[in-house]
Amino acid sequence: LIWKAHWLRTHQRVEEAEQAARKAIAIDPTDGEEGPGDRIRAYAELAEIRATRGDMNEATTLRNVVQSVQLAEMADQFHAAGLLKRAVAMYEDSLNRFADAYCIHARLAVQMSDLGRHDLAEEHYRRAYELMPDQFGRMESYCFGCERAFEGERAQGIAEKVFTELAQKTPNKPQVHY
């Protein structure tokens, strides 16, 4: 669908291109199975489509989403190299570009927990769990870098509370139960 959207856009069929890009996002919002540097192509394509259609505000928002995830992936590399404080600063900068990214909140929560900053970690765990159901598509799996998002008693306790509340509010939403 992403390649179809790209082809349609480059052939001036932007309305159809937008439909294809939005359908791709609904199915798998982040291209979660792709490796770092190769995700959220649908958002990048939709940004170009919206710019072509003259909606620069949405195009800018979508470009910020793409930049945010790319910056978080770079932060993952800094973390792997042991540069924890720099990685945390990069995750925080990433959230300044797109504050509602569950995957970045999850990464930052894990990092804050590792640094012993449990109060800050708790805020980010909670926000990550609240955002997850709305950001999972039909094919979504946890993003790379989020594997530890449920690790430990503290994280699991927060998750249980958040997901129990969400299940009561939206019992027919399968992503909450997933």
Side-chain angles (χ1 to χ4, degrees):
L1 287 169
I2 299 166
W3 290 114
K4 179 179 180 180
H6 176 78
W7 186 90
L8 289 165
R9 178 179 59 83
T10 59
H11 287 82
Q12 290 73 47
R13 294 169 59 184
V14 291
E15 188 173 326
E16 293 170 89
E18 183 170 341
Q19 290 173 0
R22 291 192 187 280
K23 188 173 182 180
I25 289 169
I27 293 170
D28 187 7
T30 62
D31 301 324
E33 298 299 318
E34 297 299 323
D38 201 27
R39 293 191 196 108
I40 61 172
R41 288 179 184 258
Y43 282 91
E45 186 59 39
L46 184 56
E48 297 309 309
I49 293 165
R50 294 308 298 156
T52 299
R53 296 190 82 181
D55 187 345
M56 298 312 293
N57 286 336
E58 187 176 7
T60 298
T61 298
L62 293 164
R63 288 175 179 141
N64 282 339
V65 169
V66 173
Q67 290 172 355
S68 177
V69 171
Q70 290 171 342
L71 183 57
E73 289 173 344
M74 189 181 307
D76 292 342
Q77 294 175 356
F78 277 72
H79 176 261
L83 301 169
L84 302 183
K85 288 183 181 178
R86 284 200 58 197
V88 165
M90 292 170 79
Y91 291 127
E92 289 171 337
D93 186 29
S94 181
L95 284 175
N96 288 333
R97 297 169 196 250
F98 179 49
D100 289 337
Y102 89 85
C103 59
I104 300 167
H105 280 286
R107 287 173 163 107
L108 193 51
V110 169
Q111 302 314 315
M112 292 296 186
S113 186
D114 286 350
L115 291 169
R117 300 175 70 186
H118 300 293
D119 289 344
L120 288 172
E122 186 171 321
E123 290 175 34
H124 290 288
Y125 279 124
R126 180 172 286 105
R127 190 65 183 135
Y129 302 147
E130 291 169 349
L131 292 167
M132 275 181 185
D134 289 332
Q135 294 182 10
F136 277 18
R138 293 189 311 229
M139 296 184 60
E140 186 73 22
S141 60
Y142 303 120
C143 67
F144 291 105
C146 296
E147 295 87 358
R148 294 179 52 210
F150 294 99
E151 189 175 283
E153 288 181 35
R154 177 175 274 127
Q156 287 189 10
I158 297 166
E160 184 175 337
K161 182 178 179 185
V162 169
F163 291 124
T164 299
E165 290 172 4
L166 288 173
Q168 290 171 349
K169 291 178 187 174
T170 56
N172 295 325
K173 187 170 188 140
Q175 290 89 341
V176 171
H177 301 282
Y178 171 73

